[in-house]
Amino acid sequence: GAVVSQHPSWVICKSGTSVKIECRSLDFQATTMFWYRQFPKQSLMLMATSNEGSKATYEQGVEKDKFLINHASLTLSTLTVTSAHPEDSSFYICSAIWTGDNTEAFFGQGTRLTVV
Amino acid sequence: GQQLNQSPQSMFIQEGEDVSMNCTSSSIFNTWLWYKQEPGEGPVLLIALYKAGELTSNGRLTAQFGITRKDSFLNISASIPSDVGIYFCAGQLKGGNKLTFGTGTQLKVEL
């Protein structure tokens, strides 16, 4: 199957700093990637749709100025959590859409962000 | 955001037992997907369903796309300890790439 790599796997940062998370499709090109947030023992909640070469589309309630998304190439999308606060601590997961005979979503391994 | 209703929320079964979980929605979906997530990892695709009524197997896993297109179920036969994890269903609308996830079923297997 297609491989999506997310980096870093975990990060600890101080309040007020910014953190960048990368999502790469390693063996396919993805014009669309998605960013999710997951709290402990809860499901994945879609934050935004990342479109290569255009602005990201954010879900209702997600602050676009706080969660900056850049999809500059067909294999890389980045999520930057700006001015992080402890309540931003969460598990962030990306997925990339593979379009073949059928459309499938493949997920990265996730990034555990802890803001102290 | 919208979520699909998934049941049961958790299951604690004995090794060798069969497991069944289902997912229901008020909306029609064109694709149903089942994922497994282990702690600290991203979801891994288990089975994808593309047609109403479709029944698809992947080893000990069998999933069906409901006729109404508003539900799906997943069966795991002869469960083993490595089946533990959280199972999520996900629905996808026609012409879209977004996934709407279920609330998850946590499976625990007792030896």
Side-chain angles (χ1 to χ4, degrees):
Chain A
V3 179
V4 176
S5 177
Q6 199 171 326
H7 178 83
S9 297
W10 59 271
V11 57
I12 301 173
C13 71
K14 291 184 178 180
S15 288
T17 62
S18 295
V19 175
K20 181 185 284 188
I21 303 170
E22 294 185 347
C23 181
R24 293 181 185 273
S25 55
L26 297 186
D27 50 1
F28 67 102
Q29 294 183 330
T31 55
T32 304
M33 293 186 179
F34 294 99
W35 287 95
Y36 297 84
R37 185 173 182 176
Q38 186 178 33
F39 291 106
K41 297 187 178 182
Q42 292 190 23
S43 187
L44 285 75
M45 296 302 295
L46 181 64
M47 297 175 66
T49 304
S50 174
N51 302 299
E52 188 269 335
S54 64
K55 290 183 179 180
T57 305
Y58 290 82
E59 295 298 300
Q60 191 174 9
V62 178
E63 298 176 59
K64 62 179 182 180
D65 293 330
K66 180 160 188 66
F67 299 100
L68 300 179
I69 291 172
N70 184 278
H71 194 154
S73 78
L74 287 170
T75 59
L76 174 64
S77 175
T78 60
L79 168 68
T80 301
V81 183
T82 62
S83 187
H85 289 99
E87 57 264 31
D88 297 326
S89 299
S90 188
F91 194 54
Y92 293 87
I93 308 173
C94 72
S95 74
I97 300 301
W98 177 81
T99 305
D101 292 337
N102 292 299
T103 299
E104 293 186 19
F106 292 92
F107 287 80
Q109 63 269 49
T111 297
R112 171 72 59 193
L113 170 63
T114 303
V115 184
V116 298
Chain B
Q2 179 189 7
Q3 281 192 333
L4 304 177
N5 295 316
Q6 195 172 334
S7 65
Q9 186 175 358
S10 65
M11 303 181 72
F12 193 31
I13 63 169
Q14 292 201 327
E15 183 179 9
E17 287 185 351
D18 296 344
V19 175
S20 184
M21 60 191 79
N22 65 65
C23 201
T24 59
S25 170
S26 57
S27 304
I28 291 175
F29 287 103
N30 282 74
T31 302
W32 282 93
L33 304 157
W34 284 92
Y35 290 88
K36 179 185 178 185
Q37 185 181 27
E38 300 194 18
E41 300 286 335
V44 174
L45 181 65
L46 299 175
I47 293 180
L49 302 159
Y50 301 102
K51 295 180 182 178
E54 179 182 353
L55 185 70
T56 298
S57 293
N58 177 8
R60 293 178 296 106
L61 278 60
T62 301
Q64 184 159 30
F65 191 142
I67 291 291
T68 65
R69 293 198 284 160
K70 292 183 177 181
D71 60 346
S72 177
F73 72 76
L74 174 71
N75 284 344
I76 305 173
S77 63
S79 59
I80 59 178
S82 61
D83 289 334
V84 298
I86 303 177
Y87 292 80
F88 290 103
C89 63
Q92 191 173 47
L93 294 171
K94 183 178 182 179
N97 290 322
K98 279 188 189 181
L99 293 179
T100 300
F101 277 86
T103 47
T105 295
Q106 183 165 22
L107 181 62
K108 299 177 184 178
V109 180
E110 183 180 54
L111 296 174

